[in-house]
Amino acid sequence: MMPLDFSQFDWIFFDLDGTLWDHDTAAREAVRATASAFGLPPDETIAHFHAVNAAIWREISARNFDFDALRRERWSRILAAMDQRDRLEDLEKISDFHITRYLGTPRPLEGIDRVIPRLAQHARLAIATNGFHVSQDPKVAHLGELADYFEFVFCPDDCGALKSDPAFYEALAARAGNPAPQRMLMVGDSLKEDIENPLTLGWQVLWLSGEGKVPPSTTTHPSITSLSLVQV
Ligand SMILES: [Mg+2]
């Protein structure tokens, strides 16, 4: 990637999961620990967790999101898929154990403690995530002193729209005082959630393509495998 001149931006917005926070490790470890604690087959539980979670996330509406209902529904479907319906009486305990474990350990991605303070010398920083405050705020708190570099955490519950809706980014821009579109940079690991809509709105973007992956040659926007490799 060509070095980006970060001084051209008024604001830099960061996705949270997979960008600043190691969601994959946290999720895998939490599901494995939950399976172990409740005597469920670990590999099967992890496979069903990912499938069920992806399906539920597609069904979510930002307007009537209910975190407790979501986490119960998630484990209810996982147990049903594994023919473990007799464990439904433990649903509340399983769901509580899992979410406590998932949010209980600091999981900042490697290198962000170097990059974030340097980027803060060029632009104002904030977090823009597709998760809801109830799960995302504890993760940001786990970032410790690094959290102070971000002026706010913007979530779908702040605007009634998910990242797949341009309304999310319009509301985010309004929250930042409506700078010129080209003076805002969105950084994230999901093309669909973090890159497509900001590009359409005329923002600049930096896509984190993932370790070991080569960005498709058709991709014309700036990309880098991980935030830790950004030169600033
Ligand atoms: Mg992400």
Side-chain angles (χ1 to χ4, degrees):
M1 167 192 138
M2 293 282 290
L4 263 179
D5 172 13
F6 291 99
S7 63
Q8 68 182 297
F9 304 118
D10 294 334
W11 280 93
I12 304 174
F13 303 110
F14 299 86
D15 169 51
L16 183 57
D17 292 327
T19 295
L20 302 173
W21 180 264
D22 190 355
H23 162 78
D24 287 348
T25 301
R28 203 168 40 243
E29 196 279 332
V31 176
R32 192 169 288 280
T34 306
S36 165
F38 291 90
L40 301 167
D43 292 339
E44 208 185 329
T45 308
I46 288 174
H48 284 295
F49 181 89
H50 288 306
V52 165
N53 208 36
I56 285 187
W57 209 247
R58 283 194 296 271
E59 298 164 19
I60 282 176
S61 151
R63 292 201 179 277
N64 46 29
F65 176 80
D66 179 335
F67 185 65
D68 289 328
L70 174 139
R71 59 196 193 95
R72 277 194 302 273
E73 174 67 15
R74 183 160 57 190
W75 282 100
S76 164
R77 289 193 200 181
I78 293 167
L79 293 172
M82 293 198 299
D83 269 332
Q84 300 264 359
R85 285 183 186 78
D86 54 325
R87 305 302 304 276
L88 280 172
E89 59 190 35
D90 293 330
L91 189 60
E92 199 67 35
K93 273 188 233 161
I94 292 174
S95 167
D96 279 352
F97 183 97
H98 168 256
I99 204 67
T100 302
R101 190 77 181 218
Y102 173 64
L103 296 175
T105 309
R107 302 273 183 196
L109 278 164
E110 199 185 326
I112 64 166
D113 55 340
R114 178 189 66 82
V115 172
I116 295 300
R118 294 189 188 180
L119 290 175
Q121 294 175 359
H122 294 287
R124 299 170 74 179
L125 313 183
I127 292 172
T129 167
N130 213 30
F132 291 71
H133 279 291
V134 64
S135 64
Q136 303 305 67
D137 290 351
K139 299 179 191 175
V140 176
H142 275 315
L143 297 179
E145 289 179 4
L146 213 52
D148 296 339
Y149 288 98
F150 303 101
E151 293 190 32
F152 58 83
V153 180
F154 196 77
C155 296
D157 28 350
D158 292 315
C159 62
L162 293 166
K163 278 180 167 177
S164 50
D165 182 346
F168 177 95
Y169 288 99
E170 287 162 357
L172 172 59
R175 174 74 180 268
N178 280 320
Q182 70 275 15
R183 294 194 62 82
M184 294 184 284
L185 175 71
M186 180 67 206
V187 181
D189 67 310
S190 166
L191 281 176
K192 186 131 202 67
E193 292 180 358
D194 303 317
I195 304 302
E196 284 180 4
N197 277 323
L199 270 183
T200 304
L201 294 169
W203 299 21
Q204 299 206 49
V205 295
L206 177 57
W207 177 46
L208 310 177
S209 60
E211 299 294 344
K213 285 191 214 152
V214 179
S217 56
T218 50
T219 309
T220 51
H221 43 264
S223 65
I224 194 167
T225 52
S226 99
L227 193 52
S228 65
L229 299 176
V230 166
Q231 295 299 318
V232 55

